[in-house]
Amino acid sequence: MALTNSDSLRFFAPELLLTAGAVVVFLADLLLSKAKRRPLILTSLAVLFAVGAVLLTIHASANAPQSLFGGLLAFDGWAVAFKLLCFTATAFALLMATPGPELPKERTGDYAAILLALSVGMSLMASANDLLMVSLGVELVSLLSYGLAGFKKGARRSAEAALKYVVYGGVASGVMLFGMSYLYGLSGTTSLGGIHAALTGDLGRAGSLALLTALVLVLAGVGFKVAAVPWHMWAPDVYEGAPTPFTAFLSVGPKAAGFALAIRLFSALFGGSNLPWAEVLGVIAAATMTVGNLAALNQTSVKRMLAWSSVAHAGYLLLGVCAGTAAGHSAVLFYLVVYLFMNLGAFLVVDAVARRGGGERLADYKGLSSRAPAVALSFAIFLFSLTGLPPLAGFVGKFQLFKALIDRGGGFFVGLAVIAVLNSAVSLYYYARIARAMYLDSSTDGERITLPATYPFLLGIFAGAVVVLGVAFDGLRGATDAAARALGAY
Amino acid sequence: MKLLSAIVFLPLLGAALVTLSSLLPARLRDNASRAIALIVSAVCCALGIYVWLTFDPHAAGMQFVERVTWIRSLGVEYFVGVDGLSVSLLILSTLISFIATLASMPFWSREQPTGLAQKIPGYCAMLLLLQTGMSGTFVALDGFLFFVFWEVMLLPMYFLIGIWGGQRREYAAIKFFLYTLAGSVLLLIAIIALYQKSGDQSLLNRLAEQSPQAFQRLVESTLHHDAATGSWGYLLGDGTFSDKTFNLLAWARTGQAGLFDLAGAFFLGFTFVKVIWVFLFIAFAVKVPMFPFHTWLPDAHVEAPTPISVILAGVLLKMGIYGMLRFNWAVLPAATLNYQRVVAVFAVINILYAGLICLAQKDLKRLIAYSSVSHMGFSLLGMAAMTDAGMSGAVLNLFTHGLISPLLFLVVGVLYDRAHHREIDGFGGLARVLPEYTGVMALAFFASLGLPGLAGFVSEFLVLSGSFAPLPWHTALATISVVITAAYYLWALQRVFLGPLNPKYQGLGDLSWRERLTLYPLVALIILFGVYPAVMLGLIDPGLHEFVRTLTAS
């Protein structure tokens, strides 16, 4: 049964705390002099850790999933897992924010505050159980992301990225809201559970058609958030134009929240109906990974190549959504955890190389193995993990996604698995192009790259996680399975 | 640490040590990493020989088994062990790795192009990592573990060809990588699908209905009924229950009992076994390499440095055939019988087509690379025949070719080190300045073309005699290759060693002691197995003939 508003507050404490933290950091940023803003990052990190601890305590003490604020939000293992994932992504994004050309020193306060507010949005997306909250969460995350995409004042690329993002985002949100209005019209309620109950079973010809329209329209909104084809156009430009630490965050945090939302939304809305929604999602997944991988093949900018690779990975992740089983959902969560480490790591390397010695072009990576052996080695680990080579974590993630498809059975799903594995082979080509530049080509300038201590520290954490999770993943698998089961069936 | 784990993981430990040694000052670092690589591969080779000596060919089942649960929730185990088939290849891989490491010595000391001289530790680490992958693949008895080792080989190979290779090394390296990865992703799907079907309760129940006897045998050997869940499944090494399994032996037993044949349509209207068989076959055919998936091989061989060519030809190609035997033949025997003639046709194409290409080659290394393709066709033919002699010949061919082709690449490498080119027509009359070298090269050529008394003859003869009865036309066609092979080898021999001496090469020196150290052990083994093949056949035959009986019975 849904909890009353006052009872719900206890479970909403993490979000309240985060909001308070964001406000405090914003205000402090205004009040403090420019030189003293550096500690704001540490303050934000402390807030995030506190919030994470509070969340875990509440989760440990709460029994059974709770429904908050009269059913607007859900508090279950699924939401908690994704919240923790998003908070971790935010924490790393804060740690990665070493002042430099991408992030001016005096603006780190802004950056931290926006990231904290973004975590509130992602947290809402992960637990939204009502169309209103879905829309609210998506808008909150989108609006703040627009701001961060255009964070580099005066940089043309950054401004272009932000504008593109706003226009695309605005259209996508509008389309999604339009789809939701159909859903409301069909069921007379905005609560996901209520819609599920109203739309289960045979709806008749007209009803099915209306629901199919709604599906496609809602898909547009979600597809925009996770950068799935054909709503991916913004991704390469935004990823390339935005400050690298934020690009890294954007490719992981909001994407994870988008998948948390997508899975809850789709299994609630269409799980009971006889619509071919798994097939629709499957075709989108196949198109997304194929387009992403093919477009990545010929990129000369490493950052843009990784942006396209993120599109391709959205495709792999959609496979788990389309399988529609608890195993598929668990695989999505597992992959997102792994993806967090390898993609943040990859973008951190891009940041490191751009910081010392210049650009983001492939040519700038020539001979990196002799200029910065540790950076090159960790980048190679991230790239081959993204390809899905064992014994790295990326392989285990893909393994579970493909397994979910084959377990589902049937020619369509097996066909999808075949397309997916062939895509992995294609993706090797461009990942290996980077590895080749780093290891096989000799550098144009022999200067060694020296970096601030945060870089080796973070790269060590990311690379270590990718290697360890590739060999010892039983624990994480158990946790993601539990989270997927907690989502339950509608 | 147990014996097989030691063979598999000592090189990994060595690679870690080599990586650590890069903290030392340059000169010390290079020599330390060389020493580590050499010592580790020598120890592994010794351990391999010890396994050979203590292996009991007449005992049934796997030996030197180690079994530890790795990922409980998926039922994945660290499960290794050897039978006659894998022990022969394990010995081969440790021996060839050691010889390749020895042969890498001049490679290390030779003047390097700028920028590469400081990468000696990298070379050693990759070489060691490759050894872990190869040995692991031959001993893994768990599908998941097998796949991990299978893929672990790709990366070091990519870097070894790509960094230390010849002119077109980058192209060759990425081509090798893409071809093999494209093949192995199909292997991944097949492994997941077999895993899923191994615990399919409705299939198991149907098997119990349709062939109760076979099911009863399965219950005695493999299956376990779990009282708690009321379902059939498998026991892991530690006694816990798992409803599905990656255990290759369990797959083989359930497959031979006909479990997978009961599964219906799987993909595009084809039945499960047909699809999975084809996926597996393509995955392994890329590695063999089998026509039309062979085009990566000449490039990889020609561009790879000599020691890496030695490993490629000596060990890596064997993995394709080994995988087919472990997966296609053992797990899906009915489908294999079904596709028997298709395999035989591809085998004959391999043998003849690659042989004809050899006739047209100008580069010695390319000639040997294509001759490898041709020779692997014999293994395919012998396997397709599914007779005792054919199968023994096929597996023995893996071993003999694993001795002969490394020798061939080494002798070509010796010439390349001196003359810096490999054009067959660029030499002439070398027999006069390099008598000892000429002798070794001639022996290698004769061994490869199947001269009686040398190792190659025994395996080819076994294959042809074993496959004549079931596949007369294919075998007759394949026999033509004896003439083709003789033609291209003798012609090459004549052009390089006989005739007037090219004055440019007046001052070439004959074999050095280090080269002798790598060449003569192989020469001795080739002669030994040519005269007395029972040493190896005694090891592989008992298990293999048992295998043939179960295949033809099912």
Side-chain angles (χ1 to χ4, degrees):
Chain A
M1 215 45 242
L3 293 176
T4 60
N5 287 354
S6 51
D7 286 340
S8 304
L9 281 178
R10 188 163 76 88
F11 296 99
F12 199 58
E15 282 82 354
L16 293 177
L17 206 58
L18 263 181
T19 316
V23 172
V24 167
V25 173
F26 259 127
L27 288 178
D29 187 48
L30 282 178
L31 299 176
L32 289 176
S33 67
K34 281 185 181 174
K36 288 183 184 159
R37 286 179 190 164
R38 197 69 216 288
L40 289 179
I41 295 260
L42 288 178
T43 319
S44 313
L45 271 176
V47 170
L48 272 175
F49 272 108
V51 169
V54 169
L55 181 63
L56 279 176
T57 332
I58 299 174
H59 181 55
S61 66
N63 45 2
Q66 305 284 348
S67 186
L68 313 184
F69 302 112
L72 284 180
L73 291 174
F75 187 92
D76 51 18
W78 182 252
V80 170
F82 271 92
K83 282 177 189 178
L84 285 176
L85 180 62
C86 292
F87 295 159
T88 315
T90 315
F92 280 127
L94 285 169
L95 280 171
M96 282 162 72
T98 321
E102 298 273 287
L103 281 178
K105 207 184 223 158
E106 64 275 12
R107 299 190 62 201
T108 45
D110 286 356
Y111 179 79
I114 296 181
L115 277 182
L116 283 185
L118 256 171
S119 324
V120 179
M122 294 189 295
S123 183
L124 291 181
M125 278 174 79
S127 53
N129 206 16
D130 187 287
L131 291 183
L132 287 175
M133 288 313 295
V134 168
S135 155
L136 192 67
V138 169
E139 286 306 308
L140 186 53
V141 171
S142 297
L143 284 174
L144 292 165
S145 301
Y146 303 151
L148 277 184
F151 201 71
K152 284 194 274 183
K153 273 189 200 158
R156 263 184 85 98
R157 281 227 120 111
S158 191
E160 184 195 330
L163 187 63
K164 213 166 210 166
Y165 203 10
V166 171
V167 174
Y168 267 98
V171 172
S173 303
V175 170
M176 182 165 79
L177 279 175
F178 186 53
M180 287 178 175
S181 72
Y182 268 54
L183 288 172
Y184 181 69
L186 281 168
S187 63
T189 171
T190 56
S191 124
L192 296 191
I195 296 177
H196 179 78
L199 298 186
T200 298
D202 194 13
L203 296 172
R205 222 180 132 74
S208 293
L209 196 62
L211 190 57
L212 192 61
T213 316
L215 165 66
V216 171
L217 296 177
V218 171
L219 204 56
V222 177
F224 165 76
K225 210 71 245 130
V226 303
V229 171
W231 308 284
H232 65 287
M233 303 295 204
W234 59 275
D237 292 324
V238 171
Y239 281 25
E240 197 185 9
T244 310
F246 177 63
T247 305
F249 170 75
L250 191 62
S251 71
V252 176
K255 184 176 266 179
F259 274 102
L261 178 80
I263 288 177
R264 198 188 287 278
L265 196 61
F266 290 143
S267 45
L269 297 188
F270 311 108
S273 68
N274 50 6
L275 286 183
W277 67 286
E279 279 74 10
V280 173
L281 278 178
V283 170
I284 291 176
T288 304
M289 55 197 168
T290 311
V291 169
N293 279 327
L294 292 183
L297 286 180
N298 273 328
Q299 299 301 330
T300 49
S301 153
V302 171
K303 200 172 170 186
R304 203 172 168 84
M305 192 188 281
L306 286 176
W308 281 110
S309 118
S310 299
V311 172
H313 276 85
Y316 299 128
L317 283 160
L318 276 174
L319 293 175
V321 185
C322 129
T325 53
H329 299 160
S330 162
V332 171
L333 178 54
F334 188 99
Y335 200 85
L336 280 166
V337 174
V338 172
Y339 186 65
L340 170 99
F341 293 111
M342 56 194 186
N343 224 37
L344 286 183
F347 277 112
L348 186 60
V349 173
V350 172
D351 191 31
V353 172
R355 177 178 294 264
R356 311 282 146 175
E360 289 159 358
R361 286 169 309 127
L362 194 55
D364 298 317
Y365 288 74
K366 281 189 178 172
L368 192 67
S369 59
S370 50
R371 285 188 294 150
V375 175
L377 178 66
S378 57
F379 202 15
I381 290 177
F382 301 138
L383 291 172
F384 290 119
S385 177
L386 284 166
T387 317
L389 288 185
L392 302 171
F395 163 69
V396 184
K398 278 191 181 163
F399 174 83
Q400 299 194 56
L401 285 170
F402 301 158
K403 182 174 160 299
L405 282 179
I406 292 175
D407 282 353
R408 176 81 195 261
F412 180 76
F413 293 102
V414 175
L416 269 183
V418 172
I419 295 177
V421 293
L422 292 180
N423 259 291
S424 295
V426 171
S427 74
L428 170 71
Y429 181 77
Y430 60 85
Y431 292 129
R433 268 179 79 199
I434 306 179
R436 169 176 140 176
M438 291 194 302
Y439 282 93
L440 273 52
D441 296 339
S442 42
S443 68
T444 37
D445 64 89
E447 218 178 312
R448 282 182 79 88
I449 297 179
T450 48
L451 292 165
T454 52
Y455 284 87
F457 171 69
L458 284 176
L459 286 176
I461 291 183
F462 295 149
V466 168
V467 172
V468 169
L469 285 179
V471 182
F473 53 90
D474 219 7
L476 180 59
R477 223 184 92 83
T480 59
D481 271 351
R485 275 198 305 275
L487 178 66
Y490 275 87
Chain B
M1 201 187 239
K2 301 266 191 61
L3 202 53
L4 292 186
S5 292
I7 294 180
V8 174
F9 290 111
L10 270 183
L12 188 65
L13 187 72
L17 281 179
V18 167
T19 318
L20 279 184
S21 78
S22 56
L23 301 172
L24 298 170
R27 186 146 194 96
L28 196 59
R29 176 190 68 193
D30 291 354
N31 286 329
S33 47
R34 282 169 190 158
I36 293 169
L38 206 56
I39 291 170
V40 168
S41 52
V43 169
C44 284
C45 183
L47 288 177
I49 292 170
Y50 178 75
V51 168
W52 184 354
L53 295 177
T54 49
F55 182 84
D56 175 10
H58 296 286
M62 292 290 163
Q63 299 179 36
F64 303 99
V65 171
E66 295 164 43
R67 207 169 170 183
V68 183
T69 305
W70 177 13
I71 294 133
R72 195 175 297 277
S73 60
L74 283 171
V76 176
E77 291 176 280
Y78 174 75
F79 183 18
V80 296
V82 284
D83 59 2
L85 169 63
S86 44
V87 80
S88 64
L89 292 170
L90 180 68
I91 298 161
L92 181 71
S93 107
T94 52
L95 173 75
I96 296 300
S97 300
F98 177 53
I99 287 178
T101 315
L102 263 183
S104 300
M105 286 302 185
F107 187 71
W108 293 333
S109 62
R110 203 172 66 205
E111 204 53 44
Q112 300 285 328
T114 40
L116 288 183
Q118 75 273 34
K119 287 185 177 169
I120 292 163
Y123 180 87
C124 296
M126 287 299 146
L127 199 61
L128 288 168
L129 202 57
L130 184 64
Q131 290 183 30
T132 290
M134 294 189 303
S135 306
T137 309
F138 286 133
V139 298
L141 293 177
D142 179 282
F144 191 92
L145 188 67
F146 178 89
F147 188 78
V148 169
F149 281 127
W150 179 268
E151 297 277 273
V152 161
M153 284 182 304
L154 295 188
L155 269 181
M157 205 35 141
Y158 168 72
F159 284 116
L160 284 168
I161 299 176
I163 299 180
W164 292 277
Q167 286 291 315
R168 291 165 69 235
R169 55 176 179 262
E170 292 174 7
Y171 169 77
I174 193 71
K175 191 169 176 183
F176 161 79
F177 206 169
L178 282 174
Y179 264 69
T180 30
L181 189 74
S184 56
V185 291
L186 294 179
L187 174 63
L188 176 62
I189 288 201
I191 286 179
I192 296 175
L194 285 171
Y195 170 73
Q196 199 249 337
K197 282 282 183 282
S198 73
D200 190 325
Q201 297 299 319
S202 68
L203 278 191
L204 285 165
N205 289 330
R206 267 171 58 204
L207 184 69
E209 273 170 35
Q210 289 182 8
S211 41
Q213 281 180 326
F215 191 75
Q216 191 52 40
R217 278 200 301 278
L218 268 187
V219 170
E220 281 156 18
S221 63
T222 317
L223 282 175
H224 178 81
H225 192 264
D226 187 45
T229 56
S231 56
W232 289 102
Y234 306 83
L235 285 184
L236 300 184
D238 58 4
T240 50
F241 177 79
S242 165
D243 57 343
K244 301 177 196 121
T245 186
F246 279 108
N247 185 331
L248 287 182
L249 304 177
W251 282 0
R253 286 194 216 107
T254 46
Q256 284 158 15
L259 178 74
F260 300 120
D261 302 317
L262 293 176
F266 184 62
F267 181 43
L268 300 178
F270 294 101
T271 57
F272 178 81
V273 268
K274 279 193 177 157
V275 176
I276 297 303
W277 194 92
V278 169
F279 280 11
L280 288 168
F281 190 68
I282 293 178
F284 296 125
V286 171
K287 208 65 152 214
V288 168
M290 187 190 83
F291 173 87
F293 308 110
H294 66 285
T295 61
W296 63 269
L297 181 114
D299 289 309
H301 266 313
V302 169
E303 300 309 326
T306 304
I308 304 309
S309 295
V310 165
I311 289 187
L312 253 178
V315 187
L316 250 65
L317 302 193
K318 276 71 203 172
M319 303 214 154
I321 299 282
Y322 174 76
M324 284 182 188
L325 285 172
R326 270 268 180 274
F327 284 80
N328 294 65
W329 264 247
V331 181
L332 306 169
T336 307
L337 271 174
N338 202 9
Y339 285 115
Q340 183 181 24
R341 276 166 203 280
V342 182
V343 178
V345 167
F346 276 114
V348 172
I349 295 179
N350 246 35
I351 296 173
L352 292 184
Y353 173 72
L356 289 173
I357 293 179
C358 283
L359 281 175
Q361 292 310 311
K362 295 194 175 69
D363 183 312
L364 262 181
K365 223 172 166 183
R366 207 166 254 274
L367 171 89
I368 296 167
Y370 275 112
S371 91
S372 285
V373 178
S374 172
H375 280 96
M376 294 319 287
F378 278 100
S379 279
L380 278 174
L381 184 66
M383 285 157 66
M386 289 218 227
T387 56
D388 278 359
M391 199 68 97
S392 292
V395 174
L396 187 66
N397 188 43
L398 297 185
F399 193 81
T400 55
H401 182 258
L403 296 174
I404 296 169
S405 64
L407 180 63
L408 286 166
F409 279 111
L410 284 171
V411 285
V412 172
V414 167
L415 194 57
Y416 182 70
D417 282 345
R418 286 165 176 63
H420 302 293
H421 77 89
R422 296 180 300 253
E423 289 293 313
I424 299 177
D425 290 326
F427 299 102
L430 286 187
R432 246 169 292 165
V433 279
L434 305 171
E436 185 184 356
Y437 176 76
T438 308
V440 176
M441 179 86 134
L443 181 120
F445 276 12
F446 285 130
S448 188
L449 68 79
L451 191 76
L454 298 172
F457 169 73
V458 185
S459 52
E460 264 179 46
F461 179 78
L462 273 172
V463 166
L464 292 173
S465 66
S467 48
F468 188 72
L471 303 162
W473 287 106
H474 301 84
T475 312
L477 275 173
T479 318
I480 300 175
S481 80
V482 173
V483 183
I484 301 176
T485 314
Y488 62 74
Y489 273 134
L490 293 177
W491 194 28
L493 207 59
Q494 179 196 348
R495 282 183 285 171
V496 175
F497 293 106
L498 307 179
L501 177 68
N502 185 338
K504 252 203 304 193
Y505 301 119
Q506 190 70 56
L508 286 191
D510 215 333
L511 295 179
S512 73
W513 272 106
R514 189 201 42 76
E515 286 158 354
R516 288 188 185 121
L517 211 57
T518 60
L519 296 173
Y520 283 118
L522 289 173
V523 169
L525 286 172
I526 288 169
I527 296 173
L528 170 71
F529 289 118
V531 180
Y532 193 63
V535 186
M536 193 36 77
L537 287 175
L539 197 65
I540 57 178
D541 270 353
L544 215 51
H545 292 175
E546 182 64 38
F547 182 51
V548 172
R549 266 193 296 285
T550 40
L551 287 188
T552 43
S554 62

